[in-house]
């Protein structure tokens, strides 16, 4: 039996068995492998139908219209397309962008690039819980503000930004509004229509779909103009060219359908997992960077004073956990998210992110907590 306990669902989730099974039917000669853009034969039409069904499934999950979904290779590309595409297509709106200092690197690095192109970026600073308030946003908005980009659930902390408050504020401001919802789609109820958001990034592998596929929601009414960053055959209404990956999209669609059906059960499950895990830990032995009351229960970031995270992880060979985001785990710098929260460097270097998901059992969550507590006791 594999003793590994996977507690890194915020980095990626496994594809659900139904997703993997369905995907396999869209690859080989006896399956539906044709190019969905092929208009000259039945095989192409069938592939197109599969892609459009996936579009329907995703649109339904977030309350969008079919024509508002633009397929991308994931949330990184969706974030790039949202920011660069909106900046280039809307020069009359101004050259000021508002974001936060704890966004995913796919937003922060894109903003840094735009800064070099002459855009002015405001990086809002989160409070100790990792939240950007609507008041902070209001204070930063100007007549020159072209775009606001703030995430929904933070990938390192699980903090949940008050997007309903942003919605009220931005309804009366001409700035475009983008949400990086990679950690939230399929987990929290999202209704793009009710929010009035203009652009929203989605990644399938964060909700039990395959890696390498995602989407950008692009509002149609009133229409949001984007300049493409990938040019080619004019797919996706000219916003993103490239042959559509039928099998990936079918997988994304099944994952979206399952997420919608199981959203309440999934949430209750990760909440129970977090409880089972934390119940095994001595509360004196850690400091929670995550908000255990208001935050998303699937992500718990804990600091263990006096013990380096690297040392603790070496003592926990059966746990798959991480320090901060996967993209940065090659570096030994403390997490920039914790740094911006004001967590002292030593404590940041003693911090681990535990993230829970659908296929973790309560027994595993409990065992993981026991293993952490045992390792802490022996290291101290
Ligand atoms: C995972 C993630 C991304 C990147 O998504 P990919 O599909 O892996 O490119 C972007 N933003 C957030 C908040 C994420 O968690």
């Amino acid at each position: 039996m594999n003793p590994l306990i996977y507690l890194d669902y915020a980095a990626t989730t496994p594809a659900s068995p139904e997703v993997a099974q369905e995907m396999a039917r869209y690859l080989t000669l006896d399956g539906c492998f044709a190019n969905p853009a092929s208009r000259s034969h039945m095989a192409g039409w069938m592939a197109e139908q599969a892609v459009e069904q996936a579009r329907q499934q995703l649109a339904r999950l977030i309350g969008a219209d079919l024509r508002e979904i633009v397929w991308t290779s994931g949330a990184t590309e969706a974030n790039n397309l949202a920011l660069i595409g909106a900046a280039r297509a809307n020069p009359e709106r101004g050259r000021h962008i508002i974001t936060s200092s704890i966004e995913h690197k796919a937003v922060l690095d894109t903003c840094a690039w735009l800064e070099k192109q002459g855009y002015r970026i405001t990086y809002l600073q989160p409070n100790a819980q990792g939240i950007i308030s609507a008041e902070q946003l209001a204070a930063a908005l100007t007549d020159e503000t072209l775009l606001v980009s703030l995430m929904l659930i933070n990938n390192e902390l699980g903090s949940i930004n008050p997007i309903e408050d942003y919605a009220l504020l931005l309804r009366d401001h001409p700035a475009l509004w983008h949400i990086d919802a990679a950690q939230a789609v399929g987990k929290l109820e999202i209704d793009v229509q009710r929010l009035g958001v203009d652009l929203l990034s989605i990644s399938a592998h964060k909700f039990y779909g395959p890696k390498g596929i995602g989407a950008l929601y692009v509002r149609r009414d009133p229409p949001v103009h984007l300049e493409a960053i990938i040019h080619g055959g004019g797919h996706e209404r000219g916003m993103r060219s490239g042959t559509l990956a039928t099998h990936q999209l079918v997988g994304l669609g099944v994952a979206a359908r399952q997420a919608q059906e199981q959203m309440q059960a999934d949430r209750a499950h990760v909440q129970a997992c977090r409880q089972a895990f934390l119940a095994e830990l001595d509360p004196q032995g850690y400091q929670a960077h995550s908000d255990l009351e208001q935050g998303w229960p699937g992500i718990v970031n804990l600091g263990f004073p006096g013990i380096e995270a690297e040392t603790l992880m070496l003592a926990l060979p059966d746990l798959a956990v991480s320090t901060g985001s996967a993209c940065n785990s090659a570096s030994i710098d403390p997490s920039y998210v914790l740094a911006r929260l004001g967590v002292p460097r030593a404590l940041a270097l003693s911090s681990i992110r535990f993230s829970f998901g659908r296929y973790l059992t309560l027994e595993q969550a409990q065992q993981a907590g026991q293993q952490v507590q045992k390792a802490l006791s022996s290291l101290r």
Side-chain angles (χ1 to χ4, degrees):
M1 211 187 88
N2 185 357
L4 188 77
I5 301 178
Y6 187 75
L7 294 169
D8 208 8
Y9 279 81
T12 193
T13 61
S16 84
E18 294 81 3
V19 163
Q21 200 177 7
E22 195 63 9
M23 285 176 70
R25 298 180 46 226
Y26 289 84
L27 288 164
T28 48
L29 180 62
D30 60 344
C32 189
F33 71 92
N35 189 328
S38 292
R39 294 284 146 79
S40 53
H41 49 72
M42 180 79 167
W45 306 338
M46 286 171 66
E48 187 191 22
Q49 207 168 38
V51 165
E52 293 313 308
Q53 176 172 310
R55 206 186 293 277
Q56 181 80 255
Q57 288 163 322
L58 180 63
R60 203 175 289 145
L61 178 64
I62 61 168
D65 182 273
L66 279 179
R67 294 163 295 181
E68 296 178 312
I69 302 292
V70 175
W71 298 129
T72 66
S73 62
T76 297
E77 186 190 329
N79 287 343
N80 273 262
L81 177 58
L83 273 69
I84 298 173
R88 283 195 174 149
N90 299 278
E92 76 292 348
R93 285 179 189 261
R95 293 179 76 78
H96 176 227
I97 294 171
I98 300 173
T99 187
S100 87
S101 61
I102 60 166
E103 296 300 306
H104 190 275
K105 287 286 184 184
V107 165
L108 289 178
D109 288 356
T110 304
C111 284
W113 184 84
L114 283 165
E115 222 163 358
K116 282 193 233 150
Q117 313 298 310
Y119 291 86
R120 188 168 70 82
I121 319 281
T122 298
Y123 297 94
L124 299 174
Q125 299 302 323
N127 69 10
Q129 280 73 45
I131 305 283
I132 305 292
S133 70
E135 290 72 30
Q136 285 174 279
L137 175 56
L141 280 169
T142 74
D143 294 345
E144 280 276 285
T145 306
L146 150 78
L147 178 77
V148 171
S149 177
L150 293 167
M151 68 206 316
L152 178 41
I153 297 182
N154 182 277
N155 49 300
E156 291 198 30
L157 301 167
S159 52
I160 303 175
N161 269 327
I163 57 167
E164 307 277 342
D165 298 345
Y166 300 169
L168 287 175
L169 179 66
L170 293 169
R171 212 167 46 185
D172 302 322
H173 194 283
L176 295 171
W177 177 22
H178 168 247
I179 299 179
D180 176 355
Q183 290 288 342
V185 169
K187 296 173 191 155
L188 296 182
E189 293 284 354
I190 295 175
D191 185 336
V192 290
Q193 209 46 49
R194 205 171 48 78
L195 282 173
V197 65
D198 296 300
L199 299 157
L200 185 134
S201 298
I202 298 149
S203 175
H205 76 95
K206 302 290 173 66
F207 60 96
Y208 311 98
K211 286 172 257 305
I213 196 76
L216 180 65
Y217 161 80
V218 183
R219 172 168 295 283
R220 261 175 65 89
D221 183 25
V224 173
H225 298 292
L226 291 185
E227 194 175 299
I229 53 178
I230 294 178
H231 307 278
H235 307 72
E236 298 301 281
R237 280 155 287 120
M239 281 186 267
R240 204 283 191 173
S241 289
T243 300
L244 292 176
T246 315
H247 62 302
Q248 303 282 76
L249 293 169
V250 164
L252 181 155
V254 172
R257 194 197 73 219
Q258 291 187 306
Q260 191 158 23
E261 291 163 359
Q262 291 178 232
M263 202 177 288
Q264 301 308 322
D266 279 344
R267 188 189 175 112
H269 180 67
V270 294
Q271 195 138 20
C273 285
R274 181 180 71 175
Q275 195 175 356
F277 173 77
L278 288 176
E280 299 299 326
L281 303 187
D282 173 5
Q284 307 298 318
Y286 66 81
Q287 287 183 30
H289 305 307
S290 299
D291 183 341
L292 299 179
E293 310 282 301
Q294 309 289 328
W296 167 248
I299 299 178
V300 190
N301 198 315
L302 303 178
F304 301 98
I307 295 178
E308 276 180 26
E310 297 297 325
T311 310
L312 183 55
M313 289 198 300
L314 280 176
L316 295 166
D318 293 341
L319 300 193
V321 295
S322 76
T323 58
S325 73
C327 333
N328 300 310
S329 51
S331 66
I332 46 152
D333 286 340
S335 145
Y336 68 92
V337 172
L338 294 181
R340 304 280 153 72
L341 237 52
V343 174
R345 185 186 157 85
L347 186 59
L349 286 170
S350 302
S351 300
I352 292 181
R353 176 186 69 181
F354 304 89
S355 50
F356 313 114
R358 192 185 286 165
Y359 303 111
L360 182 71
T361 66
L362 288 176
E363 292 72 27
Q364 285 178 315
Q366 184 181 26
Q367 282 167 17
Q370 288 164 354
Q371 289 180 23
V372 172
Q373 188 53 44
K374 202 171 138 205
L376 287 171
S377 303
S378 68
L379 289 168
R380 283 199 173 113

